[in-house]
Amino acid sequence: MMIRMIRCEFAKIKRNSVLLIGLVAVLISVGYSVFQMYLGDSADDAMDFDLLNYVLVFNNTTLVFPAAFTLFGGYLVNREYEAGTMRSLLAVPVSLRKLFVVKIVVTGIFSLFFGLASFVLVMLSGHFILHFDITAEQTALSLKQVCGMAFFNFLAVAPIIALSVRKRGYYLVGAGVSFLLGLVSLFVGKSALTNVFPITAGYTLVDYAAGLETASPIVSVAVYAVLMLILAVCIHYLPSYDDLNA
């Protein structure tokens, strides 16, 4: 049943613009990163693919992914409210908890897809636009960091998605909160807070240069474990359909 519901979600996503919006957000982040490389090159700073990848991961984490994933996941639930199909789905029968879990899982899958799209675009930009020499080791590290941080950013905002979709249209508020959290991570910097702040806790796990060198991966894993526990509690204690749709 769960696999069938996930397949249905994929079919629905193909028919609306939310996927395109996510891809546009990815494209903007990559474009902005390439533009920053041009600015650095005009200032005679040393430019290479490692720096481009560093800038891209930073831009994705602070400006794009948290808000984009919350918007994406929130939209998947909110469209059921808007189309009036939520009650029909629950009559199949499909439990409200299972429906929400499917939406969250699909969002997680697409977070990896958006991360992969970002990786492909930065590789193409680095090779064909900026004419960098890119080694196999740099390619592997970029894949690990870009896709890894995409998934960890999804884990960071998953509880926000679960909370913001309890009322029709509130997912936009959730996206705003996630965007603010991304902006806050700008000021966290390379400090002890980097390892415990949800948006940046994954830095250590993907060997990103902005992570604190003395940080323990165990702490980052613990942060995401707590976030998953919060997500489980949010889904377990969902209000009734009538309260959700009020």
Side-chain angles (χ1 to χ4, degrees), residues 205-232:
L205 299 177
V206 300
D207 299 319
Y208 184 58
L212 193 65
E213 294 178 0
T214 59
S216 170
I218 297 177
V219 175
S220 296
V221 171
V223 169
Y224 290 116
V226 170
L227 288 170
M228 292 304 94
L229 178 61
I230 294 173
L231 175 64

Side-chain angles (χ1 to χ4, degrees), residues 29-111:
S29 182
V30 174
Y32 180 54
S33 300
V34 171
F35 177 67
Q36 288 176 293
M37 291 296 99
Y38 271 116
L39 290 180
D41 187 55
S42 64
D44 295 327
D45 293 334
M47 298 289 114
D48 59 16
F49 181 75
D50 287 335
L51 182 58
L52 173 62
N53 182 69
Y54 177 93
V55 171
L56 175 69
V57 172
F58 187 79
N59 288 337
N60 282 347
T61 300
T62 58
L63 301 175
V64 176
F65 282 165
F69 297 159
T70 307
L71 189 67
F72 185 92
Y75 177 83
L76 295 186
V77 177
N78 195 74
R79 72 178 178 193
E80 308 294 356
Y81 293 132
E82 299 296 336
T85 55
M86 181 73 81
R87 188 180 292 277
S88 299
L89 287 171
L90 297 179
V92 172
V94 175
S95 71
L96 194 59
R97 292 191 187 97
K98 182 177 289 187
L99 180 62
F100 271 56
V101 167
V102 167
K103 305 287 187 181
I104 294 292
V105 169
V106 169
T107 303
I109 293 172
F110 272 91
S111 73

Side-chain angles (χ1 to χ4, degrees), residues 78 81 163-171 239 242-246:
N78 195 74
Y81 293 132
L163 287 172
S164 64
V165 297
R166 290 180 171 226
K167 294 290 183 181
R168 180 187 302 187
Y170 276 36
Y171 75 102
D242 290 331
D243 290 334
L244 283 173
N245 203 39

